[in-house]
Amino acid sequence: MAGEKSVLSGEDGQKITARLLKLCGWNLSEHIDFPCLSGKKHKPPGNKGERQQHSVDGINTYSSPLNLAAKKLVMVSAKHHAESYPSASPSKIYRTIKELAQCLDCATYSPQIQEDYLDGTDPDRDAEFDGLLTFFSSDPAEKNTSFFFEKHDSISIPTDQFNSIYFIDNRRATFLFSAIKEAQEYSTNREFSFIYPDTGAQNTEDISNSGKILPLELMCSDVLPILVEKDGSYHVLIFCNDLIEKQYLKRIIWLIHKLCGFAGKTVVYFPDYDPSRHNSMVNSVKQQFQESDYLNKIYLKKWDEFSFIKLKDDDAQHLDGA
């Protein structure tokens, strides 16, 4: 019975991960096995023989909208706990991260990965191998818990060859899912695009300033700009994962002036915004931008929390995406 529960919990983690990423414009190839090319180096602790193969829960590739020279290959490992987050030691978390790092290490040289996912890649783009580790708890009390960075603040990083490994836990998933659902409900036609900031590596007309794919770097950012069509004009919705405070709001308004000059309206969302508590502070910040013609187009709202855990249910209404 315990083994059955473990399997079902793992399947739920994979469903949540794939469906959340679909809302971000991704389309995972799921359950991938490929040969290990460093069997002795990657031998699991306690095993007598060398490792024969690697397994990942998903692979996604995309041309980076933030860097003209990069083609991203992202390997995804999905973890899930049916109840509250377990009390895992940093060493156990390190082993989970290292397992994904070893997959990326081998994928860099794997003929199978090259043929299946990078064949035909634009020769002007270099392949970058990144990892994404998701770990969710279905405990409603932990919907805003950050497993990786609240419970553990000193986890070693493996030395295997890879570009980066990113993490999505309950707090991050709640923010992403809530922002996307808010954007869908705000939009006239429920369609939206993600806005790409200027990185200095996009100096070409071939790179758009918005698109349907949310790149990994922005997926793990605490500021998420989304473009929607509303009543015949374009509005920008900027979702913030941190609590509102004066200096933070000032930086957001500077960002608005860089990103949103074309928009008919910009709405900034905070998780704790309350007009009666924050209007005075908001007005004092806006006074520092009195020469701006755009101030009267900036509005603040509180974003509502949506339960990303519902993504494990086989309910199509959660899957309408970008």
Side-chain angles (χ1 to χ4, degrees), residues 65-66 194-198 202 208-213 215 218 259:
L66 304 179
F194 301 104
I195 296 179
Y196 307 137
D198 183 6
Q202 307 148 292
S208 174
N209 60 2
S210 68
K212 302 301 185 183
I213 293 176
L218 298 185
L259 289 181

Side-chain angles (χ1 to χ4, degrees), residues 12-13 15-17 19-20 79-83 85 135-143 169-170 173-174 177 306-314 318:
D12 285 344
K15 284 182 181 178
I16 294 169
T17 298
R19 291 170 178 177
L20 180 63
K79 309 294 181 185
H80 174 260
H81 208 263
E83 298 172 350
Y85 274 129
F135 190 14
F136 305 124
S137 145
S138 283
D139 184 350
E142 293 187 330
K143 61 184 177 181
D169 51 22
N170 278 19
T174 294
F177 187 58
F306 290 83
S307 175
F308 73 90
I309 296 300
K310 293 180 179 179
L311 289 169
K312 68 184 181 184
D313 301 332
D314 293 323
H318 302 298

Side-chain angles (χ1 to χ4, degrees), residues 98-293:
K98 185 169 181 61
E99 184 176 343
L100 181 55
Q102 289 175 342
C103 290
L104 292 165
D105 191 17
C106 264
T108 306
Y109 307 102
S110 168
Q112 177 183 326
I113 296 299
Q114 179 70 38
E115 180 179 351
D116 291 348
Y117 298 100
L118 296 174
D119 187 34
T121 296
D122 185 341
D124 293 328
R125 288 182 179 263
D126 297 323
E128 294 184 355
F129 292 80
D130 291 330
L132 174 61
L133 177 57
T134 66
F135 190 14
F136 305 124
S137 145
S138 283
D139 184 350
E142 293 187 330
K143 61 184 177 181
N144 288 311
T145 297
S146 180
F147 177 79
F148 294 106
F149 303 110
E150 289 178 4
K151 292 178 177 288
H152 309 283
D153 57 5
S154 57
I155 301 172
S156 300
I157 302 299
T159 57
D160 304 86
Q161 180 171 323
F162 60 92
N163 287 92
S164 303
I165 291 180
Y166 294 81
F167 306 94
I168 295 180
D169 51 22
N170 278 19
R171 182 172 186 267
R172 174 69 48 192
T174 294
F175 173 60
L176 283 173
F177 187 58
S178 299
I180 289 171
K181 296 303 287 185
E182 283 271 13
Q184 287 178 334
E185 293 190 358
Y186 183 94
S187 171
T188 300
N189 54 16
R190 295 185 64 81
E191 293 186 1
F192 59 90
S193 300
F194 301 104
I195 296 179
Y196 307 137
D198 183 6
T199 63
Q202 307 148 292
N203 295 326
T204 171
E205 294 180 358
D206 296 330
I207 295 287
S208 174
N209 60 2
S210 68
K212 302 301 185 183
I213 293 176
L214 181 62
L216 196 51
E217 300 91 330
L218 298 185
M219 193 178 296
C220 295
S221 168
D222 284 324
V223 178
L224 179 59
I226 294 180
L227 179 66
V228 300
E229 187 272 330
K230 180 72 169 179
D231 300 332
S233 66
Y234 287 104
H235 293 187
V236 173
L237 314 180
I238 297 182
F239 293 91
C240 303
N241 200 22
D242 291 320
L243 303 181
I244 187 172
E245 61 91 19
K246 190 171 184 177
Q247 291 303 315
Y248 187 29
L249 178 60
K250 185 176 180 179
R251 291 196 295 270
I252 293 297
I253 292 181
W254 276 116
L255 176 66
I256 289 171
H257 281 82
K258 286 181 173 292
L259 289 181
C260 309
F262 65 91
K265 180 178 180 180
T266 296
V267 185
V268 184
Y269 290 83
F270 286 96
D272 63 329
Y273 175 69
D274 183 336
S276 61
R277 291 171 48 217
H278 297 122
N279 268 358
S280 178
M281 181 265 285
V282 171
N283 289 334
S284 70
V285 171
K286 284 187 173 182
Q287 286 179 14
Q288 301 178 43
F289 298 87
Q290 286 185 2
E291 295 182 1
S292 168
D293 295 329

